Amino acid sequence: MTPPDVDVVLPCLNEAEALPWVLERIPPGWRALVVDNGSTDGSAGIARAWGATVVQEPRRGFGAACHAGLTAATADVVCFCDCDASLDPGLLVPFVREVRDGGADLVLGRRRPQGRGAWPPHARAGNLALARMLRRRTGLRLHDLGPLRAARREALLALGLSDRRSGYPLQMVVRAADAGWRIAEHDVPYLPRAGASKVTGTWRGTWQAVRDMSRVLAETPADERGTTVHEGGPVR
């Protein structure tokens, strides 16, 4: 079997409705790693029928699903994308190119909502608050902590990511910044998702996620944890 050019991690919890739309947009030569996080709607079977590799992660949590996908990946470059049809994985092609060409170590998508209801006000408010806290913590002037992203697999694993809940995406950025990574951000269209959000569908869910991420921002910087850092990732 030919090794995949890129692995795309797709955390999945009851996304049967959205999966076909997402999987048919995976670029040729790339592998979709659908991480089933306890779905009860047949998502895993649909993913297999569409040619995806299914990874089972019974421990609930967005971070648990993302990290299970990362550890299952084998490609040099790994991408992450939500599995709810709000983001087109085809948008990752220039992200991967930028990583491979050495323009950036981590590339993030800045979500630009398309259509009514794509990004509820409470979710935007939570994201804005986190971006401001991230700036104070790291100096990074990012506008979004969106799920569409690309980086090299070995460097991501070397970050030692430990959060297994909503703080995982933020911890990735914080530890990358501590390690001196070059982080880029590009606008991407953000569509109304299929089905109800598991995190940002309500004010309560949003602020629980903000609370999880606030704990990540309180982490001790990498160099104070006894990690030697250099451009492109840490060396332990």
Side-chain angles (χ1 to χ4, degrees), residues 89-157:
L91 296 168
L92 288 161
V93 171
F95 289 24
V96 170
R97 186 182 306 120
E98 188 169 2
V99 170
R100 283 180 167 162
D101 290 348
D105 302 304
L106 174 63
V107 184
L108 308 172
R110 179 186 183 184
R111 291 168 290 184
R112 293 295 199 177
Q114 309 291 308
R116 190 172 183 178
W119 204 355
H122 55 269
R124 292 198 210 188
N127 189 73
L128 179 60
L130 286 167
R132 288 174 174 170
M133 288 188 283
L134 177 68
R135 186 175 303 176
R136 288 196 295 269
R137 166 66 172 75
T138 66
L140 289 174
R141 300 184 68 83
L142 297 177
H143 301 86
D144 191 11
L145 298 169
L148 200 69
R149 49 187 65 191
R152 293 191 182 274
R153 178 178 58 87
E154 290 187 4
L156 284 170
L157 289 170

Side-chain angles (χ1 to χ4, degrees), residues 27-220:
W30 294 18
R31 179 173 62 163
L33 292 174
V34 174
V35 184
D36 185 22
N37 201 208
S39 298
T40 58
D41 65 349
S43 288
I46 292 172
R48 291 189 185 96
W50 277 83
T53 297
V54 175
V55 178
Q56 296 291 341
E57 176 47 76
R59 181 170 51 168
R60 287 291 181 90
F62 183 76
C66 287
H67 203 71
L70 175 60
T71 56
T74 58
D76 177 48
V77 176
V78 175
C79 298
F80 295 83
C81 181
D82 276 353
C83 204
D84 58 9
S86 63
L87 291 162
D88 183 343
L91 296 168
L92 288 161
V93 171
F95 289 24
V96 170
R97 186 182 306 120
E98 188 169 2
V99 170
R100 283 180 167 162
D101 290 348
D105 302 304
L106 174 63
V107 184
L108 308 172
R110 179 186 183 184
R111 291 168 290 184
R112 293 295 199 177
Q114 309 291 308
R116 190 172 183 178
W119 204 355
H122 55 269
R124 292 198 210 188
N127 189 73
L128 179 60
L130 286 167
R132 288 174 174 170
M133 288 188 283
L134 177 68
R135 186 175 303 176
R136 288 196 295 269
R137 166 66 172 75
T138 66
L140 289 174
R141 300 184 68 83
L142 297 177
H143 301 86
D144 191 11
L145 298 169
L148 200 69
R149 49 187 65 191
R152 293 191 182 274
R153 178 178 58 87
E154 290 187 4
L156 284 170
L157 289 170
L159 292 177
L161 301 174
S162 58
D163 191 280
R164 295 296 181 264
R165 293 175 47 173
S166 300
Y168 188 89
L170 177 61
Q171 187 180 57
M172 183 186 296
V173 176
V174 169
R175 293 198 175 182
D178 287 349
W181 288 27
R182 297 158 299 166
I183 301 174
E185 181 182 58
H186 303 298
D187 289 355
V188 294
Y190 189 50
L191 308 172
R193 61 157 292 140
S197 172
K198 285 77 174 176
V199 177
T200 59
T202 65
W203 278 98
R204 180 179 180 183
T206 296
W207 290 110
Q208 282 179 340
V210 170
R211 185 177 60 187
D212 287 347
M213 295 183 186
S214 296
R215 285 197 289 266
V216 170
L217 290 167
E219 279 188 351
T220 303

